[in-house]
Amino acid sequence: MITHSSYGVDPWTLRENELHLDLLPQSESVFALSNGHVGWRGNLDEGEPHGLPGSYLNGVHEVHPLPYAEAGYGYPESGQTVINVTNGKLVRLLVDDEPFDLRYGRLRSHERVLDLRTGLLTRTCEWTSPAGSTVRVRSTRLVSFTQRAIAAVAYEVEAVDGRVRVVVQSELVANEQLPGRDGDPRAAIALESPLRAEEHFAAGRRLRLVHRTSESGLRVAAAADHAVVGPGGTVTSSESSDDVARLTVTSVLTPGQRLRLEKFVSYGWSATRSLPAVRDQVDAALAAAEHGGWQALVDEQRAYLDDFWERADVEVEGDEEIQQAVRFALFHVLQAGARAEQRAIPAKGLTGSGYDGHAFWDTETFVLPLLTYTSPGAVAEALRWRQNTLPAARERAAQLGLGGAAFPWRTIAGSEGSAYWPAGTAAFHVNADIADAVVRYTTVTGDEAFERDTGVELLVETARLWRSLGHHDYQGKFHIDGVTGPDEYSAVADDNTYTNLMARANLLAAADVVDRHPARAAELGVDEEESAAWRDAADAMHVPYNHELRVHEQHAGFTRYQRWDFAATRPDQYPLMLHFPYFDIYRKQVVKQADLVLAMYKCSPYFDEEHKARNFAYYEPLTVRDSSLSACCQAVIAAEAGHPGLAYDYLVEAALMDLEDLEHNTRDGLHIASLAGTWTALVAGFGGLRHHGDTLEFAPRLPERFSRLAFSLELLGRRLRVEIEPDAATYTLATGDPLEIRHHREPYTVDGDKPHRLAIPAPRLRPAPDQPPHRRPNRQG
């Protein structure tokens, strides 16, 4: 999309200067607004035309039976799907009795701008009706970061060249008709009319609807109030029914006169609270928003984002596209998690219903690292959500005959939502991903209360699973067999390297944390024998290695498999999972997404420089990147292994995943993990950030396209500013006590007295490895 003529490149905005209906579904995703609790897709104010209507509340879902051709013990029984809740952003317009519909009449101009500094989506258009009346419409929309239940719209109509009668209809609408599925298994299941009416209300300028989901039993309320400013004779009326509440504003405008409507919308939901309680909740939220009014919401939004950008901005000089893309990515990752507050961060955030609105391991592995260094409060809340789901995870582990907790591969409410058991049952690495996020958060923040109250329990229960899932062989080696790693083209394999190394770290972290918190450990029934067993398993963890090829195996025996016939695979046969049986894919050397390569990044100390280079060269020709999670990981290791040009190409792919709709499913919502991966590719790739234990390392090197890269990290009460140029890196401690770092393996102490400018050694460049035919990075620099 960003290369389309209607989109421009700007460092702080995403601007669409004309409307193209064929891009409408994608634009609704990229212009979506959210705060992690409430999400509004970037639909046109009038509701039509649209690609996918979307108003979401984090956690609000419906359940439905999972289909199985044959029954089997341990299969999850029900799936969960995010639902489109009451639409509060609708503002319809009639001009001299003609609907304001951009498919009719003449659209003279149309511009939408998402301002990443203010968090506002603005729209300006001029339209002439089929009858010849011309109006100018301006709208501004926000979803508040500071008042998490509130979203708002300011809508203004101006007469341009003659007297016009206008009618503005501000609505709350439930059970909107959704488009049908298109056969893509990644698209959400569209549940028809999931909301059952409980109450409707309209009086004066106040509207309210209360519904309840039929199966999951969640009560959802939406309320709206309005401020109206117009010429004399402007009148209002209101009405409501089960699924619609409407305020109608009628006015006559002469050229230059304007009618302005400010609409405040509040949302609330609960699985347990009564109808009166939820009603009062949304009314109170409205009262708080109206107390300050529209301008206060705008000012609070700007102040919130000023603070965010101060600590989180990434500056890129020499590449305008990447500069815009990384800020777009940071903004949307913030929107996905800022106010989720003990709810999941879904793979699509709240920008669309793709993947049924589920959260995966993506959150802990890709999204939380970025937020840990920029918005750590959101990370603590996301991990508390995992803690809240422990009862379901323990129950799942027991069902599978295992100890501890088995966290779900995909879920909304905490139970496993995948009907595909090689992933849903065997992808146990999600446990270690959660543990890794816990360790990183506590290391970066020093939050001892969180570690005691939340971290200990998560680390203990995940470690218990590994100890029960794995076993010692006759030589004492510890194996974890029959699991599915990050690469979904290899399933139910023995000793997946990523899983084993991450489980090893999980076991050691659990043993360490119970030593630090013995009282909490005792509450959880941990004794010295159990802790010692974790350490024994970690010390004996087997990692498969092919001594002839001198490369680590993705899993035991992987390198002896037959290679996939890439030469016989047509470009239109990717992704492979939609054109070939899994049975065939599982038996071949072909990699959907970085797996062993991801292990080299996440478990970097385990691999030396030469092994990283050889492993990367071996797996690169096998990796087809049929997943949006792959490019950023490949960018990191490509940069480390001496392939800066290839690393840049993968950065571009991760950064423009949605802005260029590279996987052709941006219409269903943004790829939040790939957006977070843009930060990873820049900061961990070209910045060389590695943080393991007390060691904070940087090995910065820029690609040719960049003249400067700068970013900040928040850790242990400090703010470290890193500025990288082609020949040197400058480290500045903006706040806090002196900090020990390593720069290209050499130790330095950074203090607040002055910036520390350190030379960057010449890189060791290696011949670029090949990629599978037709699977080179989508755009090369």
Side-chain angles (χ1 to χ4, degrees):
M1 291 173 61
I2 204 169
T3 55
H4 193 281
S5 60
S6 64
Y7 287 83
V9 177
D10 180 271
W12 283 106
T13 66
L14 182 66
R15 186 181 303 272
E16 178 192 62
N17 56 38
E18 57 185 3
L19 187 67
H20 288 268
L21 297 183
D22 58 331
L23 291 180
L24 203 54
Q26 294 93 327
S27 71
E28 291 169 352
S29 295
V30 299
F31 286 131
L33 295 179
S34 170
N35 60 15
H37 178 66
V38 176
W40 276 357
R41 277 177 63 81
N43 307 111
L44 300 178
D45 299 279
E46 302 78 32
E48 296 181 12
H50 62 243
L52 174 67
S55 301
Y56 308 108
L57 286 173
N58 194 344
V60 174
H61 66 282
E62 187 58 291
V63 296
H64 53 87
L66 288 174
Y68 296 102
E70 297 180 6
Y73 176 80
Y75 285 4
E77 295 181 357
S78 62
Q80 307 145 41
T81 298
V82 66
I83 63 171
N84 184 32
V85 300
T86 307
N87 186 352
K89 58 186 178 284
L90 279 173
V91 182
R92 305 190 194 275
L93 172 65
L94 281 78
V95 179
D96 287 337
D97 299 328
E98 298 219 39
F100 177 67
D101 188 325
L102 303 183
R103 294 168 293 191
Y104 305 97
R106 180 185 176 192
L107 184 60
R108 295 175 173 268
S109 65
H110 194 278
E111 181 181 70
R112 287 188 288 178
V113 179
L114 175 61
D115 191 321
L116 306 174
R117 291 166 297 190
T118 65
L120 302 180
L121 175 63
T122 58
R123 176 191 182 204
T124 306
C125 59
E126 193 168 296
W127 176 78
T128 301
S129 72
S133 298
T134 301
V135 294
R136 186 174 296 118
V137 174
R138 302 178 181 89
S139 73
T140 304
R141 183 185 297 174
L142 67 84
V143 175
S144 176
F145 286 117
T146 59
Q147 301 185 48
R148 75 167 195 159
I150 296 296
V153 180
Y155 192 88
E156 194 171 80
V157 186
E158 178 185 356
V160 174
D161 57 3
R163 180 179 180 276
V164 294
R165 177 178 287 104
V166 297
V167 178
V168 174
Q169 297 173 309
S170 173
E171 298 183 339
L172 300 175
V173 176
N175 291 318
E176 294 176 285
Q177 184 176 359
L178 299 176
R181 299 185 68 188
D182 61 2
D184 185 342
R186 296 167 295 187
I189 298 171
L191 297 179
E192 186 175 354
S193 299
L195 296 172
R196 187 177 70 246
E198 287 195 322
E199 180 182 89
H200 60 86
F201 170 85
R205 296 174 180 177
R206 176 69 64 96
L207 310 173
R208 185 173 58 246
L209 295 177
V210 183
H211 289 77
R212 194 166 189 179
T213 56
S214 298
E215 301 300 327
S216 56
L218 306 179
R219 180 168 284 115
V220 179
D225 212 341
H226 305 79
V228 178
V229 178
T234 299
V235 297
T236 64
S237 62
S238 59
E239 59 185 322
S240 66
S241 59
D242 280 354
D243 286 346
V244 179
R246 179 185 299 117
L247 173 73
T248 301
V249 184
T250 305
S251 188
V252 176
L253 305 177
T254 58
Q257 283 189 319
R258 300 176 181 180
L259 173 64
R260 179 179 173 87
L261 176 97
E262 294 174 354
K263 180 179 186 179
F264 305 90
V265 183
S266 65
Y267 287 95
W269 73 272
S270 177
T272 58
R273 287 195 295 275
S274 66
L275 191 154
V278 174
R279 177 206 302 143
D280 292 347
Q281 176 186 345
V282 293
D283 285 349
L286 268 186
E290 291 174 307
H291 177 72
W294 168 262
Q295 192 57 49
L297 285 176
V298 171
D299 293 344
E300 289 173 7
Q301 196 84 337
R302 178 61 189 253
Y304 185 98
L305 285 166
D306 282 347
D307 179 62
F308 171 73
W309 290 117
E310 175 67 22
R311 63 180 184 272
D313 190 24
V314 175
E315 298 175 33
V316 178
E317 293 182 5
D319 195 315
E320 294 179 345
E321 264 192 334
I322 295 299
Q323 177 64 90
Q324 180 188 39
V326 68
R327 285 180 175 147
F328 173 83
L330 287 165
F331 177 76
H332 272 291
V333 172
L334 175 70
Q335 288 200 129
R339 302 300 304 273
E341 296 176 5
Q342 300 191 39
R343 295 291 168 192
I345 299 178
K348 295 286 190 178
L350 300 180
T351 67
S353 55
Y355 304 117
D356 290 331
H358 289 177
F360 297 76
W361 67 287
D362 313 10
T363 300
E364 284 78 15
T365 302
F366 298 92
V367 178
L368 295 194
L370 185 167
L371 292 174
T372 298
Y373 291 105
T374 59
S375 296
V379 178
E381 293 298 313
L383 293 172
R384 289 188 183 104
W385 168 73
R386 287 292 193 185
Q387 183 184 27
N388 292 340
T389 67
L390 268 170
R394 290 190 183 103
E395 182 180 348
R396 180 66 172 155
Q399 185 182 37
L400 298 173
L402 300 171
F407 283 98
W409 183 60
R410 61 185 299 168
T411 191
I412 294 176
S415 60
E416 179 58 66
S418 175
Y420 187 62
W421 72 267
T425 298
F428 291 104
H429 66 84
V430 65
N431 265 38
D433 301 321
I434 293 167
D436 178 64
V438 169
V439 172
R440 182 184 303 102
Y441 172 79
T442 55
T443 300
V444 170
T445 64
D447 189 344
E448 293 183 6
F450 172 89
E451 183 178 72
R452 180 189 65 247
D453 298 337
T454 298
V456 174
E457 188 173 22
L458 287 172
L459 290 170
V460 164
E461 296 294 10
T462 50
R464 282 172 167 165
L465 177 119
W466 297 121
R467 188 60 189 84
S468 67
L469 180 63
H471 68 97
H472 290 276
D473 68 13
Y474 68 95
Q475 294 178 320
K477 288 289 185 182
F478 192 79
H479 301 272
I480 303 175
D481 295 331
V483 300
T484 300
D487 172 29
E488 294 152 21
Y489 285 172
S490 298
V492 197
D494 297 339
D495 288 322
N496 172 257
T497 293
Y498 175 87
T499 301
N500 283 17
L501 288 177
M502 292 290 285
R504 176 177 177 269
N506 188 167
L507 289 161
L508 291 174
D512 289 343
V513 81
V514 298
D515 287 346
R516 290 194 297 272
H517 301 277
R520 184 74 176 109
E523 291 175 6
L524 296 169
V526 181
D527 57 25
E528 290 185 5
E529 182 180 354
E530 183 174 23
S531 176
W534 296 339
R535 292 191 188 277
D536 288 344
D539 292 342
M541 189 68 69
H542 178 65
V543 177
Y545 183 77
N546 186 314
H547 291 276
E548 292 182 6
L549 297 173
R550 295 196 301 159
V551 297
H552 290 87
E553 294 196 294
Q554 180 170 293
H555 61 75
F558 179 83
T559 54
R560 73 166 179 77
Y561 286 3
Q562 179 184 355
R563 288 205 170 202
W564 185 265
D565 190 350
F566 295 105
T569 307
R570 303 188 310 271
D572 63 352
Q573 290 180 301
Y574 292 95
L576 298 181
M577 61 185 179
L578 299 183
H579 299 91
F580 297 93
Y582 270 115
F583 173 73
D584 194 22
I585 294 171
Y586 287 164
R587 300 182 304 121
K588 304 290 176 61
Q589 286 192 61
V590 57
V591 180
K592 179 182 181 182
Q593 63 207 70
D595 190 306
L596 191 281
V597 168
L598 177 61
M600 292 194 293
Y601 165 47
K602 301 290 286 186
C603 307
S604 182
Y606 185 83
F607 303 89
D608 62 29
E609 180 180 347
E610 289 304 315
H611 273 123
K612 287 179 182 177
R614 284 198 300 271
N615 288 341
F616 186 74
Y618 184 88
Y619 286 93
E620 186 70 0
L622 305 176
T623 304
V624 296
R625 298 187 332 284
D626 283 348
S627 166
S628 63
L629 302 179
S630 196
C632 66
C633 311
Q634 290 170 271
V636 171
I637 299 303
E640 185 176 2
H643 312 293
L646 182 60
Y648 174 81
D649 295 343
Y650 283 134
L651 161 67
V652 171
E653 182 169 309
L656 302 185
M657 183 64 61
D658 291 307
L659 288 173
E660 289 196 349
D661 195 13
L662 296 180
E663 290 208 341
H664 311 295
N665 63 352
T666 297
R667 65 187 182 275
D668 301 324
L670 302 180
H671 298 79
I672 300 300
S674 184
L675 293 174
T678 307
W679 180 89
T680 301
L682 288 167
V683 173
F686 299 120
L689 169 68
R690 301 292 186 274
H691 194 181
H692 296 282
D694 296 329
T695 304
L696 183 65
E697 298 186 59
F698 299 91
R701 285 196 179 96
L702 295 186
E704 289 185 4
R705 290 286 295 270
F706 291 3
S707 58
R708 178 175 170 271
L709 171 65
F711 55 88
S712 296
L713 302 174
E714 303 267 325
L715 66 162
L716 296 176
R718 305 170 175 95
R719 178 174 297 168
L720 177 67
R721 179 75 172 165
V722 182
E723 298 184 62
I724 306 166
E725 298 171 313
D727 61 344
T730 301
Y731 302 92
T732 305
L733 193 63
T735 61
D737 297 330
L739 180 66
E740 301 294 326
I741 69 166
R742 289 182 178 271
H743 170 80
H744 285 280
R745 300 184 180 180
E746 294 297 321
Y748 294 91
T749 300
V750 182
D751 55 37
D753 293 339
K754 61 180 180 179
H756 294 254
R757 183 176 171 86
L758 305 175
I760 294 176
R764 178 181 178 181
L765 301 180
R766 293 180 170 88
D770 294 326
Q771 289 76 41
H774 317 303
R775 302 309 286 171
R776 288 276 296 152
N778 282 283
R779 289 188 58 198
Q780 289 84 52

